[in-house]
Amino acid sequence: MGEPELIAALKSGGFPTGVLCDAMGKINNMRYDIKPLFSEARLAGPAVTVRCPVADNLTIHRAMEMAHPGDVIVVDAGGYKNAGLFGEVMAVSCIARKIAGVIIDGGCRDAAEIVSLKYPLFAAAVNPGGTVKETLGEINVSVQCGDVCVRPNDIMVGDRDGVVCIPREKVALVLKKAEEIIQREKKYLKELKNGRSTMDVLGFNRILEQKGLL
């Protein structure tokens, strides 16, 4: 599959973030508090990265202007949660510009309005605090978001569980491994529904035997 097909597959919801994390060796999952504003939210697309000063969202506005349809804006706000860096006005603009979603290691506001718009915003907190627009930070540089290093054009995937970052050069390999995990889990689920234990189906009894614990 080419890149558009790979991203479409990720957007379809067939690859949960937990499976993708496992396919990457249980890494590249963002910090637990970066979550969607509504449970059905899902995003997938290449990252436009932003590093902005505390409580100043001018750089996000500039990144929104620069982003292409299908991009995901990833904001390193230093984890500052006492200001809403992204709100309803920005969500409406992102929808019109076909920006696939926004991820913020920091706060957002206008939560009810953004939920009513069904815009996929993932943030560390909701806070009504205002922001200034005074200092231009950095765009399309490597950033730390949710304790994960994100580079421009890495592929972001978000769902109810949270967010993972797939290195752009590894997307095809990660999806291949994820598909293998999904097929294996389908087999497990069939056996579990027939009454077998997780200890047996997942091989944990064998591990205990090898350790001399059974």
Side-chain angles (χ1 to χ4, degrees), residues 98-131:
K98 296 182 170 54
I99 296 170
V102 175
I103 302 163
I104 304 178
D105 191 350
C108 68
R109 66 180 186 178
D110 301 336
E113 291 81 4
I114 293 171
V115 170
S116 70
L117 291 167
K118 297 297 182 185
Y119 188 68
L121 170 65
F122 290 67
V126 177
N127 192 295
T131 58

Side-chain angles (χ1 to χ4, degrees), residues 103-177:
I103 302 163
I104 304 178
D105 191 350
C108 68
R109 66 180 186 178
D110 301 336
E113 291 81 4
I114 293 171
V115 170
S116 70
L117 291 167
K118 297 297 182 185
Y119 188 68
L121 170 65
F122 290 67
V126 177
N127 192 295
T131 58
V132 298
K133 288 88 172 144
E134 296 181 355
T135 305
L136 189 63
E138 297 177 281
I139 298 173
N140 281 334
V141 297
S142 293
V143 299
Q144 285 282 333
C145 185
D147 298 335
V148 170
C149 178
V150 181
R151 303 167 304 169
N153 293 314
D154 280 347
I155 303 301
M156 313 306 300
V157 184
D159 61 17
R160 186 172 185 172
D161 285 353
V163 179
V164 295
C165 171
I166 307 175
R168 189 179 187 90
E169 68 277 9
K170 296 182 179 180
V171 175
L173 177 61
V174 169
L175 280 183
K176 181 176 182 295
K177 290 183 177 180

